[in-house]
Amino acid sequence: MSQTSGTIVGVNGNMITVEFEGAVGQNEVGYACLGDLRLMCEIVRIRGNRSDMQVFEDTSGLSVGDPVDFTGELLSVELGPGLLTQIYDGLQNPLPQLAEQCGFFLQRGTYFNALDREATWAFTPTAAVGDKVTAGEELGSVPEGIFKHRIMVPFRVSGTCTVESVAAAGGFTIEESIATLKDEHGNTFDVTMLQRWPVKVPILAYRERLRPTEPLVTKIRIIDTFFPVARGGTYCIPGPFGAGKTVLQQLTSRHADVDIVVVAACGERAGEVVETLREFPELSDPRTGKSLMDRTIIICNTSSMPVAAREASVYTGVTLATYYRQMGLNVLMLADSTSRWAQALRETSGRLEEIPGEEAFPAYLESVIASFYERGGVVTLKDGSTGSVTIGGTVSPAGGNFDEPVTQGTLKVVGAFHGLSRARSDARRYPAIDPLESWSKYESVVDAESVEVGREILRRGNDIGQMMKVVGEEGTSQDDFVLYLKSEYIDGTYLQQDAFDPVDGATAAERQHYVYGVMTGFLKASLQLEDKGAARRFFHQLTQTTRDWNRAEMGSEEFKEIQGRLEQMVAEVTVNA
Amino acid sequence: MHKVYHHVHNIAGNVINIRAEGVRYRELAEVTSRNGSSLAQVIRLKDDEVSLQVFAGSRGVATDAQVRFLGHAMQVPFSEALLGRIFTGAANPRDNGPVLTDNLIDIGGPSVNPAKRIIPTNMVRTGIPMIDVFNTLVESQKLPIFARAGEPYNALLARIALQAEVDVIVLGGMGLKHDDYLYFRDTLEESGALSRTCMFVHTASDPIVECLLVPDISLAVAEQFALEGKRVLVLLTDMTSFADAMKEIAITMEQIPSNRGYPGDLYSQLASRYEKAVDFEGSGSITILAATTMPGDDVTHPVPDNTGYITEGQFYLRNGRIEPFGSLSRLKQQVNGDTRADHRSIMNTLIQLYAGYRETLEKQSMGFRMSDWDDKLLKYGDRFEKEMMDLSVNIPLEQALDLGWTILADCFEPMETGIQSNLVENFWPKTEVGDQKSEVGGDAPATEDDAPEPELETAEA
């Protein structure tokens, strides 16, 4: 690899223009030298012997004539055991270590190894000498927390290799060789537990990509029942500010039924990440009883951190997620918010003086969004096991208006849409997912027919509600009024969920199936209620009791008792056909 | 080293171009011309061409002006001597005090490592019930006040400055009318609060570039105070002027505008300022309150819209009162559980009843007959607006909560309020004989599920 170097000839915001001699590649990483400081930057455009580079740090103080070293590498992350529980910035710099060294502030130009070079991992070989292996196949494993962390043939290896030697079981650091491979051309090379991979390139070391079918249970009823997400699928949550996007993502990151969660806080408030940072180590994962942090990686590039690194952060996140997918695990990658990422693209594009598209976003915005979401997916690995990456991204549309480029570009490529509405959040109906506008192409945890029953009632209830605003309650027929109350009932007791209640906060799939079944029975019943007042009183009581039911542990005496009462209440007013 | 350049070959807007070498990005320069001198900052380097943004504006800058580079970026003096002083956006004295030159600090420093942040836990008491009771301000919070241009947002900020329990107040004025500046100065001076205040004021008649510096200077100073262990409240008014100044420079620099002419990095620019709000573990804190005027009372305008995505809630100021609907302090849950047992219930109940009042008003205006309940709501709403919402009310939180109970007791029976019975027993004013009603609605923030949904006024309305 040639060590090309260059000198700065222009500075504009976080964009520098560099004159170079020799060869450089698009998206190659370099370091701009400001005295002793080395500021990481990436080539985004080359014109003749000049390249435009976006700097991942503040550029103050850079001057024409300052040297730039090129590395010959694309922007890459380190992959290996020890990623879990880490808190990284967008460039995979470990933030706690940075804090130890630099104190309160993020000093620019300080880079650390993402993975601990000293730690030893207990390696158990699985490959044998003479085995034929290809990229992504297992050579051995180390335990990482509760997971079996597969040590794989590096993804960049092409063709079939022969295992020349493999280390015996024992402790190794990530830089020590654990195997020697010989490739098709007869070259031998060492394999360590550490490998690097360019973030913007998808990892393709699997056998086949499958259609996502298995539901990913988030334990949020409105999502799992009405707008489900599949493992390996993609979904987006657009919503105006204050509608609860981040809270929804935090809840998902806690309760989702997956092995590993990668949270990419991308250009959002630092305070929100802090909640996750401080609370996750205290919370226990209901599936394993271990700390939630044990299954989490946090990529944190908050709004005041450099913009170019923000653009990198979602790719860093998805690359780490894909790495764990390659071990046959189910990974959920949450990006909050993709609009900030798109804005980072817009800023870069603006500095490059590219011809803008709609709202000054670059013309390639949609294809970039599409290729990002396409990095999700469920795959069969080379050993026959399956792994998945599910991507959920929030979108922060300007003015809460979904008719803008980022939302529209995202809707085209995702499998589920959870649109948050201001009206619902103002009415404190949480989660504020709009039940009429949202959609999902995946399969629900309850059968499609029952879902349709609920949906139909919600739809018609909404129509009647609108009508009632005009003609008043008096002008509404008793039947319509009861239907309206039914829709309010299902909204109030099933769609809305109290995130702070230990039981109601997370509803398992079986419970959703069971409870929704019982409630569909109520919805289908034709009720005989004297007048509107009686109807209102009846539903008020039914709602209140159902809420108590939601708070009772499933299978407990209380649960059964309340269910009995509910059924009794409905039976008393049901007309027997 | 500090070579002097004599040839300005391009002047457009407040940006001048010269040819120079060895200049650093963001470096300061002194531009001296026949009509006086001004500081200027490097905003673009391209080969040997240097673009400089002249703080005092380019009017009168001649092509033979002297440009001397200073070798450092914008700095501001920092010491206790700042307190009680008033400066311009370029940190020159605006009062008749001496120029400060010692202990210069950089402005626009790096952001705080998220791993070093802590979950905020301290309330900032302001003496304004609409804030203390309903949307509690929390130390290290960043909150904008969204208002139309005519609303008394500056008066509100001044009142908060007077009453807030903090150690230091830094006031950053951007595009202030001169009257408003004098109002701030006089109000703080009269009450004696000026001695713990430091003001950086850019008035509408000052050069626009200075407006851009105000938030950075104010926050840099605030940060130093906070690192010394002080609890600092930063008041910024008006952030829309700041955004407009950015727009002006961006257009001059021929940047491609994104939305209504604002530069594409508006969000990042605003965020890097607001995110300076922080609670330093083991040291002081910075809390930011910023007025943001909404052109056309439109919250979807790029400035309030981007602001809303950055800040931890917002206050809407409408008709001279802090609007209870739409206004939100996202951090209030962190503190309002530990103030007094009845805080959350009173907060929810008063607001729900007030929502009922609004609905009744609507019915009344449409000519519907008023029921007994409506009459009670009307009586309640009237008192609530006069005694709680009015901005002149200045009472501590506890007294405000008591006042809430008094108003409730004067207007309703305990059971009508839906407050948990144990709270009613403890707090309902004893003079009134109300029957103890069994629990209604439970604890949590109740949602209105009976009765037609109260039309909470939405933010966009």
Side-chain angles (χ1 to χ4, degrees), chain A residues 462-472 475-476:
Chain A
N462 178 63
D463 290 348
I464 298 164
Q466 296 293 337
M467 190 73 85
M468 254 185 351
K469 279 188 190 147
V470 183
V471 298
T476 310

Side-chain angles (χ1 to χ4, degrees), chain A residues 125-318:
Chain A
T126 45
V129 173
D131 283 359
K132 302 282 184 202
V133 290
T134 56
E137 280 188 79
E138 187 174 332
L139 295 170
S141 67
V142 298
E144 182 183 11
I146 48 170
F147 301 103
K148 189 180 123 199
H149 187 114
R150 284 188 200 172
I151 306 300
M152 296 166 274
V153 177
F155 304 133
R156 62 167 188 280
V157 170
S158 62
T160 310
C161 299
T162 316
V163 179
E164 289 276 286
S165 74
V166 66
F172 294 90
T173 68
I174 52 170
E175 284 182 315
E176 286 176 286
S177 163
I178 47 99
T180 317
L181 304 183
K182 187 160 91 182
D183 69 12
E184 285 163 340
H185 310 292
N187 305 320
T188 58
F189 57 92
D190 285 335
V191 175
T192 63
M193 293 192 224
L194 169 71
Q195 58 169 316
R196 295 178 64 79
W197 186 261
V199 292
K200 289 188 183 163
V201 181
I203 296 171
L204 299 173
Y206 52 79
R207 192 187 292 161
E208 141 173 69
R209 198 169 153 183
L210 309 170
R211 204 164 66 87
T213 46
E214 204 187 324
L216 186 156
V217 180
T218 60
K219 300 193 180 139
I220 297 166
R221 290 188 293 259
I222 185 169
I223 295 181
D224 294 343
T225 304
F226 286 91
F227 311 107
V229 179
R231 280 186 176 163
T234 51
Y235 67 103
C236 69
I237 311 174
F241 63 79
K245 291 182 296 294
T246 305
V247 176
L248 199 56
Q249 285 229 333
Q250 278 175 352
L251 289 175
T252 318
S253 65
R254 275 179 204 186
H255 300 306
D257 187 16
V258 290
D259 299 310
I260 286 170
V261 179
V262 180
V263 180
C266 167
E268 286 286 306
R269 303 175 184 92
E272 289 165 355
V273 194
V274 176
E275 274 174 39
T276 312
L277 293 184
R278 301 269 166 170
E279 284 172 7
F280 266 36
E282 316 287 316
L283 296 169
S284 71
D285 182 353
R287 299 181 333 134
T288 59
K290 295 273 174 57
S291 153
L292 258 186
M293 205 61 201
D294 282 356
R295 68 160 196 176
T296 312
I297 306 173
I298 298 172
I299 314 288
C300 168
N301 211 93
T302 55
S303 55
S304 60
M305 290 160 77
V307 172
R310 187 196 298 168
E311 195 237 323
S313 66
V314 294
Y315 291 107
T316 301
V318 80

